[in-house]
Amino acid sequence: MKSNRLAMLAILAFCFGSQAQAFDQIEANIKYPVGMGSTSSGYTSTIGFGASIYFTPLLDPSVPNYLSVGYQSYKIKADGSSSLKMIPVIGSIEFIGKVFKDFNSTFALGAGFAASYVGVTSQTSYNWSTYFVTQIKPGFDWALGDGVSLVGHTPVTMFISRAFMASMDFDLGVKFKL
């Protein structure tokens, strides 16, 4: 538990460093998480969503950094009314490559933490679990107009705790410059 708190503090320090940070862009997307590995074999994927807030770059103007929050839900196959809910919070840096005039490839690396619980429709209390999270996130950014982009990613996320779980998401969304 102490290592999760240290990871959370490191991510917050990364995103809200000593210099004043301004919001640069906002991204919202719909995702379809697919569990990978033996731990995820008892789950069926459902639609989730995510949001990212881009800050003024810390390292270099060409290397954006952002904080993302997601919501992933998996139905438990053994019990049709139960589901595993995961909420990852990840701080990332993103590398951008120019493909065409308005079309860029992206590759992000991130780390963070996640909280999860098993939701049952008749249950009123929840047992929360926490995870250390790492993520690689390839994708694209297609500029549509003045400050608006269509974005898509296929991130691979590793949830590390007493039990290891990984997922690959397929997401599509919109990014707005502020």
Side-chain angles (χ1 to χ4, degrees):
M1 188 68 160
K2 187 172 184 166
S3 64
N4 286 337
R5 289 184 191 147
L6 291 175
M8 182 174 61
L9 289 174
I11 291 166
L12 291 175
F14 170 75
C15 291
F16 303 106
S18 60
Q19 56 181 301
Q21 295 293 310
F23 297 141
D24 190 29
Q25 300 175 43
I26 295 175
E27 177 183 322
N29 54 42
I30 295 174
K31 58 178 62 190
Y32 185 75
V34 177
M36 300 185 320
S38 60
T39 307
S40 62
S41 65
Y43 302 111
T44 303
S45 302
T46 61
I47 300 291
F49 56 89
S52 299
I53 299 172
Y54 285 76
F55 297 97
T56 304
L58 291 172
L59 303 173
D60 185 81
S62 64
V63 182
N65 54 285
Y66 62 89
L67 182 67
S68 64
V69 177
Y71 172 80
Q72 300 174 348
S73 179
Y74 302 93
K75 290 203 180 273
I76 299 174
K77 289 180 182 177
D79 180 7
S81 64
S82 300
S83 60
L84 173 67
K85 313 285 188 184
M86 301 187 89
I87 304 166
V89 178
I90 303 169
S92 301
I93 58 172
E94 185 175 58
F95 302 97
I96 300 172
K98 179 75 75 186
V99 178
F100 301 114
K101 179 183 174 196
D102 295 331
F103 190 81
N104 298 319
S105 64
T106 61
F107 185 80
L109 299 169
F113 63 94
S116 71
Y117 66 93
V118 174
V120 181
T121 54
S122 62
Q123 184 175 334
T124 57
S125 64
Y126 302 101
N127 185 13
W128 288 84
S129 298
T130 57
Y131 302 85
F132 174 73
V133 177
T134 60
Q135 185 179 74
I136 57 172
K137 189 175 182 179
F140 69 88
D141 185 327
W142 183 12
L144 298 176
D146 188 31
V148 178
S149 296
L150 177 67
V151 294
H153 308 100
T154 55
V156 176
T157 309
M158 282 88 32
F159 298 93
I160 304 164
S161 186
R162 287 175 268 148
F164 176 82
M165 184 173 167
S167 74
M168 174 182 253
D169 303 348
F170 299 95
D171 65 40
L172 190 61
V174 179
K175 186 181 341 180
F176 300 98
K177 289 191 179 198
L178 300 176

